[in-house]
């Protein structure tokens, strides 16, 4: 199985050189001092080394508001760095590092956890980072549920009220939404698009940018604690996007989901 995975990574890497992308997207969750694991927790030293690479190699880091302007389309080496959920470390660890390096990043907020759950951000922290102009904020539902289960029965809490709370607490009108767990399908994209509340949706499978009427879907690739610097750089450059998007399509097909 490892041999097959390695071969698929190689194919994805080679094919990536034939597709020009103005923007690549990566994501993290929590940042910890030790015992990092997979996509959920990356160790501070590794994270800082990765950010220093981005800084030293003159990448253009963006916030969600930069995507709205679309001026990045005229430049190369653009990267959108995102964090899911709203972990406390995003303020205590990530924010100081990014300020020091003058890099921008973004956080998708699990709204029901902010100021409520241990090890999550408070609204005061969110507002302080917002005022710095190097941090963008998006929505990640109220209860971090599988977005495919959002319907007329819970949409008011998971999307509408979540947006209202963000507006009330920060004066931000949220136009960016990330699918919790990376779970999505065509039905939920259509449902959210009809609501007319978001301009941009974000997946966790590296899918190429999709434009659907007035909404865009952006594919991100997760950074794992176990990634070597070479693997991180390849993800940063979008070399493995085809691998992740293909694997996700195969999994959806196996579950009988509409692509």
């Amino acid at each position: 199985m490892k041999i097959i995975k390695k071969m698929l990574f190689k194919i994805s890497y080679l094919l990536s050189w034939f597709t020009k992308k103005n923007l690549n997207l990566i994501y993290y969750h929590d940042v910890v001092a030790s015992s990092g694991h997979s996509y959920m927790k990356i160790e501070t030293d590794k994270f800082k080394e990765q950010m220093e690479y981005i800084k030293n190699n003159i990448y253009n880091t963006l916030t969600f508001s930069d995507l709205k302007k679309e001026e990045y389309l005229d430049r190369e080496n653009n990267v959108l760095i995102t964090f899911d959920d709203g972990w406390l470390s995003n303020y205590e660890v990530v924010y100081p590092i990014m300020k020091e390096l003058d890099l921008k990043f973004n956080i998708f907020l699990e709204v029901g956890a902010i100021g409520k759950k241990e090890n999550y951000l408070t609204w005061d922290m969110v507002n302080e980072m917002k005022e710095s102009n190097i941090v963008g904020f998006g929505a990640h539902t109220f209860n971090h549920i599988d977005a495919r289960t959002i319907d007329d029965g819970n949409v008011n809490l998971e999307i509408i009220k979540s947006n209202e709370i963000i507006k009330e607490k920060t004066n931000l009108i949220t136009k960016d939404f990330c699918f919790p767990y990376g779970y999505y399908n065509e039905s939920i994209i259509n449902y959210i698009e009809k609501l007319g509340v978001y301009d941009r949706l974000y997946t966790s499978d590296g899918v190429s940018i999709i434009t659907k009427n007035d909404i865009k879907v952006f594919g991100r690739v997760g950074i794992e604690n176990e990634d070597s610097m070479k693997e991180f750089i390849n993800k940063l450059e979008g070399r493995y996007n085809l691998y992740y998007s293909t694997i996700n399509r195969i999994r959806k097909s196996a579950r009988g989901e509409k692509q």
Side-chain angles (χ1 to χ4, degrees):
M1 195 66 180
K2 288 183 178 179
I3 295 176
I4 294 174
K5 183 176 181 180
K6 189 174 182 180
M7 288 175 59
L8 292 174
F9 268 128
K10 187 67 174 179
I11 293 170
S12 178
Y13 176 86
L14 292 173
L15 291 177
S16 72
W17 291 96
F18 296 96
T19 56
K20 178 177 174 59
K21 291 186 66 177
N22 291 87
L23 174 67
N24 286 302
L25 302 90
I26 57 175
Y27 71 89
Y28 300 87
H29 287 85
D30 201 4
V31 181
V32 295
S34 60
S35 302
H37 176 68
S38 190
Y39 298 102
M40 291 305 300
K41 297 180 183 293
I42 186 169
E43 292 163 14
T44 303
D45 290 347
K46 293 181 179 180
F47 174 74
K48 187 169 185 181
E49 182 182 11
Q50 293 169 0
M51 295 304 104
E52 288 172 341
Y53 176 87
I54 288 175
K55 177 68 173 181
N56 294 334
N57 287 273
I58 320 178
Y59 279 82
N60 299 305
T61 55
L62 309 174
T63 60
F64 296 136
S65 60
D66 294 319
L67 294 186
K68 181 179 180 180
K69 299 171 189 173
E70 293 195 340
E71 293 173 356
Y72 72 90
L73 292 172
D74 298 324
R75 304 192 304 262
E76 296 183 350
N77 288 350
N78 297 295
V79 59
L80 190 83
I81 303 168
T82 61
F83 288 80
D84 290 2
D85 305 335
W87 293 94
L88 181 60
S89 65
N90 296 173
Y91 175 80
E92 293 186 339
V93 180
V94 176
Y95 184 45
I97 290 173
M98 303 304 256
K99 282 198 298 183
E100 176 188 343
L101 297 175
D102 193 25
L103 299 177
K104 297 178 181 180
F105 69 106
N106 305 269
I107 303 172
F108 289 106
L109 300 172
E110 178 190 338
V111 175
I114 306 304
K116 301 292 185 181
K117 292 185 180 180
E118 187 178 3
N119 294 324
Y120 278 76
L121 297 169
T122 67
W123 288 111
D124 285 342
M125 294 172 182
V126 171
N127 277 302
E128 180 184 335
M129 289 190 284
K130 182 198 76 170
E131 293 302 319
S132 72
N133 294 318
I134 66 167
V135 190
F137 291 95
H140 203 40
T141 73
F142 188 88
N143 289 309
H144 201 275
I145 66 168
D146 180 344
R148 296 172 300 180
T149 67
I150 293 175
D151 56 23
D152 292 347
N154 61 7
V155 67
N156 187 61
L157 173 63
E158 299 299 340
I159 292 184
I160 306 302
K161 185 177 180 180
S162 290
N163 291 353
E164 290 174 350
I165 292 172
I166 294 175
K167 176 68 164 58
E168 175 191 342
K169 298 291 188 178
T170 68
N171 203 35
L172 285 173
I173 297 175
T174 312
K175 290 297 184 180
D176 298 83
F177 175 85
C178 177
F179 297 108
Y181 310 107
Y183 295 158
Y184 74 100
N185 53 28
E186 185 177 351
S187 294
I188 190 56
I189 290 176
N190 290 337
Y191 185 84
I192 292 176
E193 190 265 331
K194 288 177 182 177
L195 291 176
V197 294
Y198 299 124
D199 292 336
R200 294 167 293 274
L201 307 179
Y202 301 81
T203 74
S204 303
D205 59 3
V207 67
S208 296
I209 298 174
I210 301 168
T211 300
K212 186 176 180 62
N213 297 326
D214 294 325
I215 206 167
K216 285 187 176 182
V217 181
F218 293 82
R220 310 175 302 158
V221 168
I223 305 301
E224 298 180 73
N225 189 68
E226 295 77 13
D227 286 341
S228 66
M229 273 304 291
K230 181 178 179 181
E231 289 170 325
F232 166 74
I233 293 167
N234 282 333
K235 287 183 175 182
L236 181 65
E237 295 179 346
R239 303 300 176 201
Y240 297 155
N241 287 38
L242 178 61
Y243 166 80
Y244 287 109
S245 60
T246 300
I247 291 298
N248 189 56
R249 283 196 296 269
I250 292 172
R251 288 171 178 166
K252 284 185 177 181
S253 178
R255 293 193 298 261
E257 292 184 10
K258 191 176 181 180
Q259 300 294 310

